């Protein structure tokens, strides 16, 4: 029922965006005397756009990226329309009314193109965000580099991996954590474009560790894990490892893997000596943060939510997750959720930006 409800809301919003787009075109570019052409364009846009989206959603002839681009385009067009309407009502004096409309006819496509350009810039230009936390126990200072949701594929690949390696090297991180969605559903583009040498550039003194996300679990999880390991990265699949005799690192499979154990089970299975060490957790989705806040977990890193990727989807992720983005200390644990280094579907981000988290960890007293 939840999926049908979401589908219904999206379908209604699509019709609204098409309506706003057509009304704006009629207002700015067609005279009131010319009604035939606007009606034809309006009818054509409803038929074509709805056909493309429905064929994709019903998986009759999937065009996921094209459908996503259409939705983003119409959303940005609606934002531009809103701005034009506001400007019009502010300056709608009779003496400049006609001139104002001509000016808005120029501003509308410029505003739309600017939003598209900004969204592409945000998708491909990473920012580095620093955090500093103190554990409630003795611990030798550690610098963590964290990035997730690469979605490696045709639109995001070797060049972006090289940039990530440069960032990690420049930040002098001690360890790199990659909590899921390394690939975009499969390894076809990864292998075809020979991305392994680029992924292998990720190096850190204490190692590089990854876990698999939902897009890594669409049937090719073993092949994906194998390719990641070939690049010298340790993939933790519901496993725990001791790192440098200083802390325990746990990596969980995404919950698409129905047989995955509870985090409590993994903790209970640890040797008694390891249970006394700080525990760091990689869990792709931030769905179990409240449960984990009651467990002896010191740090959790997650991704998945993308901070909505395109505004106003971030309002939805805020409702879905206790922590959908950023950092918060809950209980005795420190929880981090990144918007991701890559993107899903289309190379567009609005209200979010490609990013890398640098987390400086220290303890109370000496280790």
């Amino acid at each position: 029922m939840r999926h049908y409800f979401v589908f219904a809301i999206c379908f209604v919003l699509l019709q609204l965006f098409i309506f706003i787009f057509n009304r704006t075109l009629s207002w700015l570019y067609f005279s009131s005397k010319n009604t035939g052409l606007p009606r034809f364009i309006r009818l054509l846009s409803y038929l074509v756009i709805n056909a493309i989206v429905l064929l994709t959603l019903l998986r009759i002839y999937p065009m996921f990226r094209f459908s996503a681009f259409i939705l983003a385009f119409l959303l940005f067009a609606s934002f531009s329309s809103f701005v034009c309407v506001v400007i019009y009502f502010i300056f709608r004096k009779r003496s400049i009314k006609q001139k104002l409309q001509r000016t808005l006819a120029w501003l509308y496509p410029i505003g739309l193109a600017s939003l598209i350009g900004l969204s592409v810039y945000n998708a491909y230009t990473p920012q580095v965000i620093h955090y500093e936390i103190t554990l409630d126990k003795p611990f030798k200072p550690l610098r963590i580099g964290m990035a997730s949701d690469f979605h490696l594929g045709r639109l995001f690949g070797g060049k972006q991996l090289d940039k990530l390696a440069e960032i990690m090297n420049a930040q002098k991180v001690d360890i790199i954590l990659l909590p899921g969605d390394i690939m975009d559903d499969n390894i076809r583009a990864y292998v075809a474009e020979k991305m392994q040498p680029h992924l292998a550039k990720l190096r850190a003194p204490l190692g590089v560790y990854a876990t698999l996300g939902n897009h890594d679990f669409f049937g090719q999880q073993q092949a994906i894990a194998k390719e990641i390991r070939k690049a010298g990265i340790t993939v933790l699949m519901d496993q725990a490892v001791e790192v440098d005799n200083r802390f325990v690192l746990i990596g969980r499979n995404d919950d698409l893997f129905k047989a995955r154990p509870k985090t409590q089970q993994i903790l209970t299975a640890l040797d008694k000596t390891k249970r006394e060490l700080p525990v760091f957790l990689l869990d792709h989705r931030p769905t179990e943060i409240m449960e984990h806040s009651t467990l002896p977990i010191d740090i959790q890193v997650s991704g998945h939510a993308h901070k909505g990727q395109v505004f106003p989807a971030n309002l939805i992720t805020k409702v879905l997750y206790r922590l959908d983005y950023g950092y918060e200390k809950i209980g005795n644990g420190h929880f981090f959720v990144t918007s991701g280094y890559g993107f899903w579907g289309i190379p567009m981000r609005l209200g979010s930006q490609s990013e890398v988290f640098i987390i400086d960890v220290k303890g109370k007293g000496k280790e």
Side-chain angles (χ1 to χ4, degrees), residues 79-313:
F79 291 156
S80 299
S81 297
F82 176 76
V83 172
C84 286
V85 169
V86 170
I87 294 174
Y88 180 81
F89 276 97
I90 292 175
F91 300 101
R92 65 184 191 283
K93 292 181 179 180
R94 290 183 178 273
S95 58
I96 63 169
K97 195 171 183 179
Q98 191 173 6
K99 184 178 179 181
L100 175 61
Q101 191 158 338
R102 287 198 302 268
T103 302
L104 292 177
W106 282 97
L107 287 178
Y108 176 73
I110 292 173
L112 177 55
S114 297
L115 286 175
I116 293 173
L118 176 62
S119 69
V120 174
Y121 173 85
N122 287 341
Y124 284 111
T125 308
Q127 59 180 340
V128 179
I129 300 177
H130 287 261
Y131 293 96
E132 185 175 315
I133 62 171
T134 301
L135 303 183
D136 296 325
K137 58 187 68 172
F139 188 75
K140 182 181 177 181
L142 177 77
R143 172 164 279 197
I144 299 171
M146 191 264 275
S148 79
D149 297 275
F150 298 174
H151 293 275
L152 295 174
R154 289 184 298 168
L155 300 178
F156 197 88
K159 183 178 180 180
Q160 289 72 39
L161 289 173
D162 291 345
K163 178 63 177 177
L164 179 61
E166 290 173 8
I167 291 172
M168 295 299 187
N169 291 336
Q171 294 294 323
K172 295 180 172 58
V173 299
D174 299 306
I175 188 172
I176 297 175
L177 304 181
L178 311 175
D181 277 1
I182 309 302
M183 306 285 180
D184 197 22
D185 301 354
N186 56 64
I187 61 172
R188 287 196 294 270
Y190 178 85
V191 173
E193 298 188 21
K194 298 178 174 60
M195 296 185 200
Q196 181 182 315
H198 303 279
L199 184 61
K201 290 181 181 180
L202 292 177
R203 287 287 180 263
L206 297 183
V208 183
Y209 297 85
T211 191
L212 301 186
N214 56 303
H215 282 268
D216 301 313
F217 262 98
F218 286 161
Q220 293 198 21
Q221 54 268 25
Q222 295 303 327
I224 288 173
K226 182 179 179 181
E227 291 296 332
I228 296 172
R229 291 186 179 112
K230 282 183 183 178
I233 297 172
T234 301
V235 181
L236 299 176
M237 304 179 74
D238 291 323
Q239 296 169 294
V241 295
E242 184 178 341
V243 180
D244 198 35
N245 298 314
R246 293 167 58 187
F247 58 93
V248 172
L249 186 63
I250 298 174
R252 302 199 64 199
N253 288 327
D254 183 76
D255 61 15
L256 274 182
F257 182 64
K258 300 305 179 184
R260 79 171 187 167
K262 300 293 288 183
T263 306
Q264 177 66 71
Q265 293 176 260
I266 300 175
L267 289 169
T268 302
L270 291 175
D271 295 337
K272 289 184 178 180
T273 54
K274 293 182 180 180
R275 294 180 196 174
E276 298 175 358
L277 297 173
V279 176
F280 300 169
L281 174 68
L282 291 86
D283 196 0
H284 178 62
R285 303 195 203 204
T287 49
E288 297 182 357
I289 280 179
M290 292 310 296
E291 177 184 334
H292 293 164
S293 69
T294 65
L295 300 176
I297 293 172
D298 297 276
I299 296 174
Q300 174 177 327
V301 293
S302 299
H304 182 67
H306 291 236
K307 200 182 178 183
Q309 188 162 318
V310 176
F311 174 87

